[in-house]
Amino acid sequence: MRVLVVEDEPFLAEALQAGLRLEAIAADVALDGDDALERIAVNDYDVVVLDRDLPGTHGDDVCRVVARDHPGTRVLMLTAATRLQDKVGGFRLGADDYLTKPFELAELVVRLHALSRRPVAAAPPVLEHADLRLDPFRREAYRAGRYVRLTRKQFAVLHLLMQADGGVVSAETLLEKAWDEHADPLTTAPRVTVSTLRKALGEPDLITTVPGAGYRLGGADA
């Protein structure tokens, strides 16, 4: 296993590096966010042990880059904060695990091994199609960099279409996945939602209707 320890306190960073090496874990050290990004860009790390409060590029931004550009690399976030909302915020950034300071080296080692055994996700945390970006965890959608305000149903339908990666999604599938069991099977809700979703996303239209089959994402730039 190869690990990058990103910690701005030199003594702690060196202690972690030495301790991990004793556990047969190859560990590099970065003392700020800028150095971390440079190392992550050129090395294939299994896990990044990331202090959240860093000089230079903030730890949150480092986490975003890893989650977006290096889906095979896990992030174990370190912080002195103990509030639940801080931990939730870290996971929303793309962190895979969380460890609150102070901690024992033995616990860090166990968590690193657990992370290294996790299979790489089949799909990236952020889905992209043409100039459309969708973050399912944060419930955010962007078209050409512009934030698109969507209802819950519009977001669910768009998520299903993007997961299909250009494949056709039937109205029945949309109804099954985006509505609850109480939905009328004869309802026109999926068709209406697709129509309003088109308007929300703007031009050029990225949603193609396939007569008798359903809907798919298309577009000249796809």
Side-chain angles (χ1 to χ4, degrees):
M1 190 192 322
R2 187 173 185 185
V3 171
L4 176 64
V5 177
V6 189
E7 168 59 58
D8 65 328
E9 297 181 18
F11 178 79
L12 177 57
E14 292 173 6
L16 290 175
Q17 183 182 44
L20 293 176
R21 286 178 175 174
L22 289 176
E23 298 290 336
I25 297 175
D28 298 334
V29 167
L31 298 177
D32 59 59
D34 296 335
D35 187 21
L37 290 176
E38 291 179 5
R39 290 174 179 271
I40 292 167
V42 298
N43 297 305
D44 186 16
Y45 292 108
D46 296 294
V47 184
V48 175
V49 179
L50 180 64
D51 184 23
R52 192 167 186 180
D53 189 14
L54 291 172
T57 302
H58 194 275
D60 289 357
D61 295 317
V62 174
C63 186
R64 288 190 185 96
V65 170
V66 175
R68 183 190 68 210
D69 299 339
H70 306 274
T73 300
R74 305 301 187 187
V75 175
L76 193 160
M77 191 167 278
L78 303 178
T79 182
T82 59
R83 295 184 305 168
L84 177 60
Q85 67 184 70
D86 292 314
K87 294 183 179 181
V88 171
F91 285 119
R92 283 178 172 167
L93 293 169
D96 298 282
D97 200 357
Y98 220 97
L99 195 54
T100 303
K101 297 179 181 179
F103 56 86
E104 297 292 334
L105 178 65
E107 182 178 5
L108 174 61
V109 171
V110 169
R111 288 175 180 266
L112 289 176
H113 283 297
L115 286 174
S116 70
R117 291 195 297 269
R118 292 184 186 177
V120 176
V126 177
L127 302 175
E128 298 186 6
H129 179 89
D131 60 353
L132 189 61
R133 285 173 56 88
L134 182 140
D135 187 333
F137 198 87
R138 298 169 69 95
R139 267 202 82 245
E140 293 178 350
Y142 294 87
R143 179 83 190 268
R146 174 183 64 87
Y147 175 72
V148 181
R149 187 178 299 278
L150 300 175
T151 67
R152 288 191 296 272
K153 295 303 183 188
Q154 289 171 345
F155 190 92
V157 168
L158 180 59
H159 189 189
L160 290 167
L161 291 173
M162 294 191 75
Q163 284 181 314
D165 195 25
V168 176
V169 181
S170 68
E172 292 77 14
T173 298
L174 293 179
L175 186 63
E176 177 185 353
K177 299 292 187 180
W179 277 262
D180 61 32
E181 62 183 4
H182 301 295
D184 182 350
L186 301 179
T187 183
T188 60
R191 179 175 59 80
V192 173
T193 301
V194 169
S195 177
T196 59
L197 176 60
R198 281 190 167 110
K199 294 178 181 178
L201 294 177
E203 297 293 338
D205 188 8
L206 289 179
I207 302 176
T208 300
T209 299
V210 182
Y215 309 92
R216 67 176 179 84
L217 287 180
D221 297 329

